[in-house]
Amino acid sequence: MTVKHRAAIDTLVAYKPGRAPAAGRPKVKLSSNEMPFGPLPSVLDAIARAATTLNRYPDFHRLDLTEALAARHGVDPSQVVVDNGSGALLQVLASVIAGPGDEILYAWRAFESYPIVTTVAGATGVTVPLDGRHTHDLPAMAAAATDRTRMVVVCNPNNPTGTVVSRAELNRLLDALPDDVLVVLDEAYWDFVTDPDAPCGLDLVTERPNVAVLRTFSKAYGLAGLRVGYCVTRPETADLIRKSIVGFSVSTLAQAGALASLTPEADVELKQRVAHVVEERARLTGELVRMGVPAVPSQANFVFMPMPDGPARFTAFEERGVILRAYGTDGLRVTVGTAEENDRFLALAAELLRRS
């Protein structure tokens, strides 16, 4: 017998993480948009030192990390909220901004957590298809907003397609929405953006009263296993989040690792690692296009390949030792790995994806 619960939860499609290699079977995992390199040595040292204090609770308010992030981004600490991943912050925002009878608007296909956090909040999800460039159709999103819309999510770069909207397009969307509708800019992959016309959400926070930016240490910083993300927004919105997050939700190790990642020493190596990803991203895209494989130009650490037979192609890759991410009949996504991992993927792509 199932306990009584909200009927809407029965309709949820649970989040499915990227497939991991089975025990004892060596495979190349390019399914979860992880950084292919481990934590920086200085970060590991900071984590090891912090481990000696694990008999104590972590800093409830994440003060040192909050202040460091505020200094880095040139905002007041009252505008920064740290939690255990940007996904957790998205869930809190959905719950404090919207509820039964309200609408949360987002593009599709985009990050698979969006419909989950919307349903858990009790709100109604309104989806707008991506345009022909596999990019957010911001004019259509503006047209889809109603007086029930409480929150609009823009994933930029978009997961899984890697596309970005332009600064002008985003400003037109913001102009079209009331100032009391929160616009959440999910910038988990911002560190990999090289397009000079891509808008930086942090700039918009200072200009607009209704913008919240989500960023994470899981991607470029290589700390996916620690679960640290943060939100930068106006102080009033930040206060709503602080009232609602779970206490002590960012561990001592996570705070220490994230804080050590913000030092000048770590910045140098981080930029080198990001440069590798950007260079390899271009190589992957160029080789796929040369093979005749559709590949969407990406600003993230992955490349999306639209194809209706994605699940079958996914299986063929996995049987040969490379794990990708399939999105039903929409396509396949490959994470940018090390040069050697990318070579292995490309060798298989020439066999399994090449168009005659």
Side-chain angles (χ1 to χ4, degrees):
M1 177 179 291
T2 303
V3 298
K4 292 181 179 180
H5 60 281
R6 288 172 45 216
I9 304 302
D10 292 331
T11 68
L12 277 179
V13 177
Y15 181 81
K16 295 180 181 179
R19 188 82 63 88
R25 298 179 63 188
K27 290 182 182 289
V28 173
K29 183 188 178 189
L30 301 175
S31 58
S32 296
N33 297 344
E34 297 151 328
M35 199 66 167
F37 311 107
L40 303 174
S42 58
V43 173
L44 287 175
D45 288 343
I47 292 171
R49 291 192 299 272
T52 64
T53 68
L54 292 183
N55 57 309
R56 305 295 184 186
Y57 281 109
D59 176 5
F60 185 94
H61 297 290
R62 305 92 151 132
L63 287 176
D64 289 344
L65 182 53
T66 297
E67 290 177 358
L69 286 166
R72 165 161 294 217
H73 296 309
V75 298
D76 191 87
S78 65
Q79 296 180 253
V80 180
V81 186
V82 178
D83 204 5
N84 63 330
S86 57
L89 286 159
L90 181 68
Q91 179 70 77
V92 173
L93 278 169
S95 297
V96 300
I97 297 297
D102 299 328
E103 295 175 348
I104 295 179
L105 179 64
Y106 48 89
W108 198 255
R109 182 177 286 271
F111 186 37
E112 291 171 293
S113 285
Y114 299 160
I116 296 174
V117 301
T118 299
T119 300
V120 171
T124 299
V126 177
T127 59
V128 175
L130 299 175
D131 65 18
R133 302 169 299 154
H134 303 281
T135 303
H136 281 59
D137 188 339
L138 296 188
M141 292 181 73
T146 70
D147 58 1
R148 296 172 59 191
T149 304
R150 295 293 176 270
M151 190 166 97
V152 177
V153 185
V154 177
C155 191
N156 203 49
N158 185 47
N159 179 18
T161 61
T163 53
V164 292
V165 300
S166 72
R167 186 178 294 105
E169 290 171 326
L170 184 55
N171 275 319
R172 284 195 289 271
L173 173 68
L174 290 165
D175 288 340
L177 295 172
D179 285 346
D180 58 358
V181 172
L182 183 68
V183 178
V184 178
L185 303 179
D186 187 346
E187 295 187 340
Y189 301 95
W190 176 256
D191 296 280
F192 304 105
V193 172
T194 57
D195 184 348
D197 196 35
C200 174
L202 297 173
D203 294 337
L204 290 168
V205 167
T206 63
E207 301 168 6
R208 305 275 185 166
N210 58 331
V211 170
V213 177
L214 298 179
R215 292 199 179 177
T216 182
F217 285 88
S218 295
K219 306 302 179 185
Y221 288 91
L223 299 181
L226 285 184
R227 311 305 305 127
V228 193
Y230 60 98
C231 177
V232 181
T233 186
R234 290 295 178 92
E236 311 83 62
T237 307
D239 284 342
L240 296 175
I241 302 172
R242 288 193 191 91
K243 291 177 181 178
S244 306
I245 58 178
V246 176
F248 301 110
S249 58
V250 185
S251 74
T252 297
L253 302 186
Q255 292 185 50
L259 188 60
S261 298
L262 298 175
T263 63
E265 175 188 2
D267 273 344
V268 173
E269 192 165 355
L270 176 72
K271 289 176 181 176
Q272 293 172 348
R273 293 181 171 195
V274 169
H276 163 86
V277 170
V278 170
E279 182 178 347
E280 286 292 295
R281 178 181 74 195
R283 182 168 76 93
L284 282 179
T285 304
E287 288 297 308
L288 288 169
V289 170
R290 186 178 62 80
M291 296 176 197
V293 179
V296 178
S298 174
Q299 289 290 303
N301 69 333
F302 52 83
V303 178
F304 186 71
M305 298 162 283
M307 56 186 66
D309 56 350
R313 307 278 182 169
F314 164 84
T315 300
F317 271 94
E318 186 173 36
E319 288 173 348
R320 290 161 176 80
V322 174
I323 305 176
L324 307 180
R325 182 68 177 264
Y327 288 87
T329 58
D330 289 341
L332 287 175
R333 189 193 70 194
V334 56
T335 302
V336 178
T338 63
E340 294 75 18
E341 290 171 336
N342 298 333
D343 285 343
R344 187 169 174 186
F345 161 74
L346 287 171
L348 284 176
E351 173 189 349
L352 300 173
L353 298 179
R354 184 189 295 274
R355 299 299 197 255
S356 59

